[in-house]
Amino acid sequence: MSTQQERAEQPESQETPDDQGMKGVSSPQQERLQRKDERMAEREREEAAREADLGDDTVHIKVFRYDPEVESKQEPRFDDFHVPFEKGMTVLDAVIYARDEYDSSLTFRHSCRQAVCGSDAFFINGRQRLACKTQISELDQPVRVEPLPHQEVVKDLVVEMEHFYEQMHAVEPYFQSEETPDAADLEEQRQSPENREKVKMSTRCIWCAACMSSCNIAAGDNQYLGPAAINKAYRFAMDEREEEEIKEHRLRIVEQEHGVWRCQTQFSCTEVCPKDIPLTEHIQELKREAVKKNLKFW
């Protein structure tokens, strides 16, 4: 009687020893779901840690993207990158980091990183600049990085430079003189310090095409020589070591219909030149030389 009463008092849901042994066992599906949740939680922790590490020490850059060979990228757009900021970081540093760490397909030109080669001229925050010379700390964010305006875009930040080079070569940018010192004297063709000072600034051109990109005349006249080419002509036309006949030849090149007379003296080329060359001043001086050459007194 007592035994039946004890059994009756036991709760019906009471677990047996076998049930208790199976409690800690999970099915393969439950284990997979658990691992998935753990991986997701780990990614969230890593993302939170990354954001915490970057914090305010990041720079936001918006980079122009375009690839005519990929159908999904033929529509121009801007991609956003958040790059860890370091003291002394330039725009080129930020773009290189974005390419190396986030998107290896990001395409642009760069070489010396010393503001000498001129290959990394971009349109940065609405102005033509050398990316390797432009400090991130001096710009408002987000920093917009675009290819040079008024030039055909090949891919992303790369523009076609062939036309620019053709205009530069059109002015024959090399020294020409048949008056050479006697070989027996073993002397170089000497230039006075005053004349060297006169042409010194014009020799600093690095062929970056920033001035050409900023010029409204060049944008509307594809045959215009442009400020860089005219500056190169100035460099040799004003060199005292060239013969008078060669100087007149150069003046004939730059005083053509699409030469110096197309310049409207807007100073945009001078303002954007990364080497501080007084381009507009040189163009005006060549105009004066051309006028004097054509003056006749009788």
Side-chain angles (χ1 to χ4, degrees):
M1 186 71 179
S2 60
T3 303
Q4 293 176 352
Q5 186 175 3
E6 289 176 359
R7 288 178 179 175
E9 292 175 354
Q10 289 181 355
E12 295 180 358
S13 61
Q14 185 175 358
E15 296 178 346
T16 64
D18 291 339
D19 293 335
Q20 292 178 354
M22 293 295 294
K23 185 177 181 180
V25 178
S26 300
S27 68
Q29 182 178 4
Q30 290 175 328
E31 292 178 356
R32 287 195 298 271
L33 292 174
Q34 184 177 357
R35 288 196 296 269
K36 181 179 180 180
D37 292 339
E38 290 175 353
R39 289 195 299 269
M40 185 178 296
E42 180 64 22
R43 284 196 296 269
E44 291 176 353
R45 287 194 294 270
E46 290 177 355
E47 184 65 23
R50 188 181 301 112
E51 292 178 357
D53 290 339
L54 297 179
D56 295 332
D57 296 329
T58 61
V59 57
H60 179 193
I61 61 174
K62 299 177 71 69
V63 183
F64 179 89
R65 306 302 305 275
Y66 166 72
D67 188 349
E69 297 183 355
V70 179
E71 185 175 355
S72 61
K73 299 181 180 180
Q74 291 177 355
E75 186 68 26
R77 69 183 193 279
F78 281 90
D79 283 353
D80 294 88
F81 299 98
H82 295 270
V83 177
F85 175 76
E86 295 181 0
K87 185 178 180 180
M89 173 178 277
T90 64
V91 172
L92 181 60
D93 293 331
V95 176
I96 289 176
Y97 186 96
R99 179 198 62 191
D100 293 348
E101 300 297 330
Y102 300 135
D103 186 350
S104 60
S105 69
L106 178 57
T107 306
F108 52 93
R109 293 189 180 107
H110 71 96
S111 184
C112 73
R113 303 180 72 170
Q114 298 293 321
V116 175
C117 70
S119 60
D120 63 336
F122 304 144
F123 196 57
I124 303 171
N125 277 12
R127 180 187 176 95
Q128 290 82 358
R129 312 171 194 255
L130 287 185
C132 65
K133 187 181 179 181
T134 306
Q135 292 287 314
I136 284 286
S137 60
E138 298 176 357
L139 302 174
D140 295 330
Q141 294 191 38
V143 178
R144 290 172 62 95
V145 186
E146 305 170 68
L148 291 178
H150 306 149
Q151 302 194 60
E152 179 185 355
V153 178
V154 178
K155 180 182 179 183
D156 293 343
L157 301 177
V158 176
V159 297
E160 178 59 62
M161 295 286 288
E162 191 61 31
H163 175 67
F164 172 77
Y165 294 144
E166 289 175 354
Q167 300 299 76
M168 294 293 283
H169 288 297
V171 300
E172 302 176 11
Y174 42 84
F175 186 65
Q176 302 178 60
S177 176
E178 295 181 0
E179 296 181 358
T180 56
D182 190 345
D185 296 336
L186 296 178
E187 291 186 359
E188 68 278 7
Q189 289 179 281
R190 295 185 178 182
Q191 181 182 29
S192 68
E194 295 78 16
N195 185 247
R196 173 60 186 175
E197 191 66 25
K198 180 179 181 63
V199 302
K200 180 177 69 175
M201 293 299 294
S202 64
T203 66
R204 295 182 176 181
C205 178
I206 57 176
W207 296 43
C208 67
C211 61
M212 192 80 158
S213 171
S214 72
C215 180
N216 292 328
I217 307 305
D221 181 359
N222 197 45
Q223 298 182 57
Y224 177 47
L225 287 174
I230 295 175
N231 171 75
K232 188 60 67 174
Y234 173 93
R235 180 260 175 274
F236 292 102
M238 296 301 174
D239 193 312
E240 65 183 3
R241 295 169 294 179
E242 276 204 329
E243 302 172 13
E244 191 64 28
E245 182 178 346
I246 299 299
K247 179 177 180 179
E248 291 182 2
H249 170 65
R250 292 194 189 280
L251 290 177
R252 285 195 295 271
I253 294 176
V254 300
E255 70 175 355
Q256 59 175 291
E257 179 183 355
H258 301 280
V260 293
W261 303 111
R262 293 287 288 133
C263 174
Q264 296 182 359
T265 324
Q266 297 177 350
F267 287 91
S268 58
C269 56
T270 300
E271 291 177 357
V272 303
C273 178
K275 308 306 285 187
D276 300 321
I277 303 173
L279 296 164
T280 307
E281 180 181 323
H282 290 169
I283 294 174
Q284 302 313 305
E285 188 165 354
L286 283 177
K287 287 181 180 180
R288 291 192 292 270
E289 289 296 317
V291 170
K292 288 191 293 184
K293 178 178 71 67
N294 292 318
L295 285 177
K296 298 183 183 296
F297 298 93
W298 64 84

